[in-house]
Every structure is written in C-alpha cells, then in structure tokens.
Amino acid sequence: MAEAVETMDGWYCLHDFRVMDWTSWKLASVDERQAAIEEFQNWLSNMEQVEEANKGSQLAYKIIGHKADVMFMIMRPTMDELQEIETTFDKTKLASYMTKSFSYLSVVELSKYMSKPGVDIEQKPEVQARLKPILPRWDYMCFYPMDKRRMNEDNWYSLEKDARSKLMYEHSKTGRKYAGQIKQIITGSFGFDDWEWGVTLFAHDPLPIKKLVYEMRFDEVSARYGEFGDFYFGNILTIEAASDYFHI
Ligand code: VOV
C-alpha cells in the first residue's frame, strides 16, 4: 500500500455560490432594495471585524457567466462558524432574492511533500499564515474543484510517495513561475464535499490564471492524474461596490 502524505490543515472554508432573481429584485420597492443592500453591507462589514482579530477571513465576488451571480468565500476556525454564517445570510432580505447554485466545503491544506523528514514546520509563523490566510483583496478569483485520478494504471493513490513527491515538485516549479502574479489557496475536501480539493486562485489580471492552468495541464501530475469540476471566475465585490452592483 502506498504511504499517504501528511497534511497540515488550517481554517475551514465555504465557497457559497448564489444566483440572483433579478426579476423579483426589480419588482421590489426602492426602500425594500435599499434596506436589503444596507443589511448585506452590514453583514459583510461585521465579518471584517473577525478578520481584524485574525479569527477568519472572507471575501465576496461577482461571478461572470450563467453559473452564479455572487460567491462568498468564507474561512473560519470551526465548521460551526461556517454553518452559522451561512444561515445568518440565508435569513437576510437579500438572500430571499437569491437561490444557492453551488457550494463547496473544504479546509485549507498544505501537504508535506516539500518538507524535510523529521522537521515539524507546522508551527512556523509563515506556515500558520498560509494555513489561516487573510484572503488577498486582488481583483480576480477563479475557483474549481479537482480530484487526483484513481483509474487503472493512472491511480495517484497507488503511486509510491517518492514518485508523488517528484511529480509535486515539478508542479510547484510551474506554480512558482507565477509568484507575484497569482496567489493560490488549496483546500482539502476529502469527506466534506464531492471532490478531493478546492483550488482558489487570486490575480490582479485574468490572463495569468489562464496561462497557469494551461501550463499546469502539461505537468504530469495534472496531465495524467488531474480531473476537474466546473470552473467559476469572478471579480471582487467590495462592501462599497455592493450598492452599485445591486442598484436598479
Ligand atoms: C499558483 C502557483 C502554485 C504553486 C506555487 C503551487 C505549489 C504547490 C506545492 C508546493 C504543493 C505541495 C505542498 C503544499 O504546499 O501543499 C502543492 C499542492 C497542491 N497543488 Fe499546487 N501550486 C500552485 C497552483 C496550483 C494549481 C493551479 C492547482 C490546480 C492544478 C491544475 O492542474 O489545475 C494546484 C493543485 C494542487 C493540489 C491539488 C495540491 C495538493 C496535492 C496533493 O496530492 O496533496 N496547485 N502546490
């Protein structure tokens, strides 16, 4: 049996995708819409205080295309907090004009492929900062879930750990070419959701995201073992911009 790699796990993460019912939103009165927008802005700004206390992080995004209108990426130390935040939003006025189109539950994960045997790096401040990241206020975000294939001779989970480490090293070399252009947060979702990982990429410009995902397709770990779910792409929805975004 192949040896599993040890993982370090940080904040729990919910990607919560909603579709807006613009028709009923347009039929609502100006006062109703204004009250709903203000309530939404308060919901977001209340959570910012949690971020200032370094007890979690969250951002909202406008999703481009048919799959969703908005997405909230919410990270907290406990699953209970995620569940409470989701339900609190469900009870808002704005939520009554939305339906959930997709969600993804995971936990920030760093696998120990790159760490030296016998060296416990988990408590290092820089590792803790990656396990409990403050989400970058960068303009663009791409999310997609993925698996590592388990099929016949292309079974990632029956590869010896050394072989997997070598493939992950090649993977990281490709990723590092985009340092400064792209920040990635990989979240593990074994037992939490339908895929094995969530991939969330942040960038100041859309194109490096396409370039990175395309180039990674040629790395053996993605070429032979990568299986991907739906892709979601959007740009950041700040509290200030919410009025314009929802304005009719
Ligand atoms: C943006 C750049 C970038 C960089 C620098 C990077 C580096 C690294 C390192 C160093 C490591 C291992 C240690 C750790 O730190 O966890 C990983 C780990 C992982 N990655 Fe990665 N990855 C990137 C980016 C990046 C992308 C774009 C994808 C999606 C792949 C694609 O084809 O669409 C991805 C996937 C993963 C996954 C699923 C894992 C866990 C695999 C496992 O089996 O455990 N990743 N990744």
Side-chain angles (χ1 to χ4, degrees), residues 73-85:
M73 182 173 180
I74 300 166
M75 295 188 299
R76 288 293 187 276
T78 66
M79 282 283 196
D80 296 358
E81 288 168 280
L82 290 184
Q83 202 274 325
E84 190 195 337
I85 291 167

Side-chain angles (χ1 to χ4, degrees), residues 5 7 109-114 130 144 146 148 156-157 164 168 171-172 174-176 178 182-184 186 197 199 201 212-213 216-217 222 226 228 231:
V5 70
T7 63
E109 176 192 286
L110 296 178
S111 46
K112 289 193 173 180
Y113 281 114
M114 306 300 148
R130 286 186 62 199
Y144 54 103
M146 71 172 283
K148 294 277 179 81
W156 175 256
Y157 298 93
R164 300 198 312 272
M168 287 310 297
H171 161 86
S172 66
T174 302
R176 269 195 275 278
Y178 293 81
I182 290 181
K183 276 189 196 284
Q184 89 281 9
I186 304 301
W197 287 277
V199 177
L201 305 174
L212 169 66
V213 176
M216 276 199 167
R217 288 292 159 99
S222 293
F228 306 102
F231 280 68

Side-chain angles (χ1 to χ4, degrees), residues 32 91 135 140 177 247:
E32 268 176 287
K91 294 172 184 170
L135 291 174
Y140 298 97
K177 290 183 203 166
H247 179 72

Side-chain angles (χ1 to χ4, degrees), residues 96-155:
S96 55
Y97 295 93
M98 292 180 166
T99 48
K100 296 179 186 179
S101 61
F102 182 64
S103 67
Y104 205 72
L105 189 61
S106 53
V107 61
V108 178
E109 176 192 286
L110 296 178
S111 46
K112 289 193 173 180
Y113 281 114
M114 306 300 148
S115 31
K116 293 184 184 54
V119 178
D120 180 9
I121 58 170
E122 189 149 1
Q123 295 317 318
K124 284 188 166 185
E126 63 273 26
V127 174
Q128 283 295 311
R130 286 186 62 199
L131 290 170
K132 299 164 184 167
I134 299 303
L135 291 174
R137 265 91 178 125
W138 289 16
D139 292 333
Y140 298 97
M141 177 284 311
C142 162
F143 170 80
Y144 54 103
M146 71 172 283
D147 277 353
K148 294 277 179 81
R149 186 164 292 139
R150 295 189 311 282
M151 197 187 300
N152 309 326
E153 72 285 349
D154 288 343
N155 185 332

Side-chain angles (χ1 to χ4, degrees), residues 1-2 24 27 66-67 73 75 79 83 86 92 100 135 153 162 164 173 176 180 187 192 195 213 225 228 233 236-237:
M1 177 180 136
S24 357
L27 293 174
H66 72 287
K67 297 174 197 162
M73 182 173 180
M75 295 188 299
M79 282 283 196
Q83 202 274 325
E86 183 185 22
T92 65
K100 296 179 186 179
L135 291 174
E153 72 285 349
D162 282 353
R164 300 198 312 272
K173 274 193 339 190
R176 269 195 275 278
T187 50
F192 293 162
W195 296 78
V213 176
Y225 302 102
F228 306 102
F233 190 88
I236 194 165
L237 174 61

Side-chain angles (χ1 to χ4, degrees), residues 9 57 63 82 86 94 112 160 180 198 230 233:
D9 304 285
S57 185
I63 300 299
L82 290 184
E86 183 185 22
L94 186 63
K112 289 193 173 180
E160 285 312 315
D230 286 349
F233 190 88

